[in-house]
Amino acid sequence: MKARGNTFVVDTTNSPYAKLRPVPIENVHLEDSFWAPRISMIREKTIPSQHEIIEETGRLFNFRRASGKERGGFRGLYFNDSDVYKWVEAAAFSLAAGRNDDLHRLTRQTILEIISAQDDDGYLNTYFTFDNKKKRWTNLRDMHELYCAGHLIQAAIAYYRATGEHELIDAACRFADHIDETFRLGKRDGTPGHPEIEMALVELYRLTGKRRYLELSKFFLDNRGKGLIGGSPYHIDHKPFRELDEIVGHAVRSVYLNCGAADLYMEIGDERLLEALFHLWRSMTERKMYITGGIGSRYVGESFGEDYELPNVTAYAETCAAIANVMWNWRMLLITGEARFADVMELALYNGVLAGISIDGEEYFYVNPLADRGTHRRQRWFKCACCPPNIARLLASIPGYFYSISSEGIWLHLYAQGKVSIDVNGVSVKLTQWTRYPWDGDVKIMVQPETESSFSMFLRIPGWSRKPKVLVNDQPIDQPLSAGSYLEIRRLWKHGDIIQLVLPMPIEQIVCNPRVMENQDRVALKRGPLIYCVEQVDNPDFDVWNLILPLDSKMEAKWEPSLLNGVVIISGEAYAADDEIDGQLYRVETSSSVKMRRVKFTAIPYFAWANREPGPMTVWIRSLMLPHQAT
């Protein structure tokens, strides 16, 4: 096992069926005004404040109780261990990105509490101790034992890679061995009610080289669809995985399962797995995904709804589900090298995920509506607190998503100012990016190989881009550019070569498939990768739910450095409808006209809403009203 200096989100270095290989987090140094401050915020505010909360809510007490250090009853929900593990993983990724002695010390203390609670046989779950010990492995559908184990394994892998310290990974391997002996080797059928362990076991195989972990992951996936956990679509147990063609059920469960299947495919090359993943991806992105990249529209079961069932006020769109969307698309990108997966990953990251955390890094959304009357606010924590540490671990690992390598060369997926060092077929190459992305689409990249070297640079041309341009050393390239693809530039690269990528960011009005009933005659504003919303605090002269935006509205984008830690706003001219009907709920329509008045409006990025005073908000704005109908 190679540790320290090789911290990956997903390590496909030796995966035979992956097209792309990872670049260690340690090699990527972001220096921009968008991601770098957020990564610092996660390290300096979010992770420490979350540790205070997992202590005060009894999550760490549960480990001390299980080890005999403290007495009392179990505190909280039966899967609370997983929040501690996600916190450790966030801390590990943060330590990989930059040394922090205080955080290292705090993480070690937490890990010692975890491993002290492990049983002699390797079992580790603080809920199933003492009187509950006899209930172990008796309810895989509901009790999240395998889910918690998966998060322990992922935390242990990240911490070992970041620090080289082996105590937690040793404990995780002992637990994984116990699970393997109980189920696969013990001839005991089972599959988790909440998928998570599948991808964790594949990553453990990648780290250790022990094939038993890969076989155990396959064992759990192959047992789905046999009715072992009830056979319901909610648990994605209604069909064998390879027969799935529609994404259904609990959104996080469903997409975590897809992550595990994608990881498994990259190691064993089962084409039926990949075929199912493509079907599920199209089902989600073409019929069941919000414009923000959020998924899971129903409060009931935190689940996917029917095709085109995408309500706005009652959107569930759990933060964890948007995170899962990023995770799955990252894996699909590693498999294929296709930009469509990077496009969805970016969409979910900048919109669905980032809305889940306040701009000060200490409050969170569990649910992410696309319209609200001002009552939905972020919270410091939740009784079921899966989302806060989940968003912390994702944002702490962000540097690991920017670049990949292949046998042909270097792949650039996301853009941000900073530097990276990459080994390309034995040649050390340094890249430096200059850009204000996502606020501006101009990107300049300096290529600095230690010796002149021939390889390809693959630049992602986002699917949202219009009329992109690429120059090398001030000369336009003689290649066609296609939005939603990777542009391959192959040449003999010399120290100091400059690539310029120009991605114009016009303000666009996006319309929805008419089968989404709520969004008929409405538009959403998009600029670059960002979805916008109108919030009452910026528009005090009218109710933003009454805003009507003509298709020919004049709009402009403007940088506001003092607003919401610095954002580009969209401002323009529109109309406000005065269509209250004298307090009545219904009336007989006697005129086709709607009373309107001219107004100026301001829109902000969706991720930044609800950080100021409460008030109505909406993403989808009434439209398709021609100016000559106004009075």
Side-chain angles (χ1 to χ4, degrees), residues 358-428:
S358 61
I359 59 174
D360 68 3
E362 297 190 81
E363 292 186 326
Y364 312 91
F365 276 149
Y366 194 109
V367 175
N368 292 274
L370 278 74
D372 180 60
R373 291 304 295 170
T375 59
H376 190 67
R377 312 303 290 174
R378 293 181 185 85
Q379 305 294 320
R380 179 172 178 259
W381 202 247
F382 306 92
K383 181 179 180 180
C384 173
C386 50
C387 296
N390 210 7
I391 199 168
R393 70 171 181 149
L394 175 64
L395 297 187
S397 68
I398 280 297
Y401 288 88
F402 274 76
Y403 303 92
S404 294
I405 54 175
S406 68
S407 58
E408 298 103 324
I410 300 172
W411 297 65
L412 281 72
H413 308 304
L414 302 173
Y415 298 107
Q417 187 154 309
K419 300 179 177 68
V420 63
S421 298
I422 300 176
D423 183 276
V424 182
N425 299 321
V427 176
S428 178

Side-chain angles (χ1 to χ4, degrees), residues 569-629:
I569 64 167
I570 293 173
S571 59
E573 298 179 354
Y575 301 91
D578 295 321
D579 55 1
E580 295 293 330
I581 54 176
D582 301 322
Q584 302 174 62
L585 185 58
Y586 308 104
R587 73 175 180 193
V588 175
E589 183 62 274
T590 58
S591 171
S592 61
S593 65
V594 175
K595 294 180 180 179
M596 295 187 295
R597 55 191 172 92
R598 296 180 185 274
V599 295
K600 295 184 182 297
F601 76 92
T602 297
I604 63 167
Y606 172 75
F607 74 75
W609 85 279
N611 279 286
R612 297 167 293 170
E613 64 186 70
M617 176 279 297
T618 186
V619 169
W620 289 98
I621 302 167
R622 294 164 65 179
S623 185
L624 305 181
M625 188 70 68
L626 298 178
H628 69 261
Q629 293 177 282

Side-chain angles (χ1 to χ4, degrees), residues 426-558:
V427 176
S428 178
V429 180
K430 292 183 179 179
L431 302 181
T432 302
Q433 278 196 52
W434 293 276
T435 181
R436 292 186 64 249
Y437 197 96
W439 310 121
D440 187 288
D442 291 345
V443 183
K444 184 165 76 171
I445 304 160
M446 179 184 289
V447 185
Q448 296 174 288
E450 61 179 353
T451 59
E452 292 185 6
S453 183
S454 181
F455 58 89
S456 294
M457 292 284 292
F458 294 86
L459 305 184
R460 175 173 154 258
I461 310 298
W464 54 259
S465 60
R466 306 289 180 264
K467 299 180 180 179
K469 298 178 183 178
V470 176
L471 299 88
V472 177
N473 296 331
D474 294 324
Q475 298 299 312
I477 64 165
D478 187 21
Q479 294 175 235
L481 301 182
S482 177
S485 68
Y486 282 89
L487 172 69
E488 180 181 4
I489 307 174
R490 186 165 189 87
R491 57 179 280 142
L492 180 67
W493 295 98
K494 301 177 182 179
H495 192 280
D497 282 343
I498 298 290
I499 303 171
Q500 291 172 271
L501 174 62
V502 180
L503 301 171
M505 289 186 172
I507 300 165
E508 296 183 316
Q509 297 189 35
I510 308 299
V511 297
C512 195
N513 188 304
R515 295 182 184 179
V516 181
M517 290 290 292
E518 283 210 11
N519 296 338
Q520 288 188 8
D521 299 335
R522 292 179 180 269
V523 296
L525 296 178
K526 186 175 185 182
R527 182 177 181 271
L530 298 177
I531 302 299
Y532 279 71
C533 67
V534 284
E535 194 173 16
Q536 195 65 52
V537 64
D538 300 305
N539 302 279
D541 296 333
F542 57 91
D543 188 324
V544 295
W545 280 26
N546 289 341
L547 186 65
I548 297 177
L549 188 62
L551 292 178
D552 60 354
S553 175
K554 295 179 180 179
M555 293 180 283
E556 65 175 0
K558 181 182 178 183

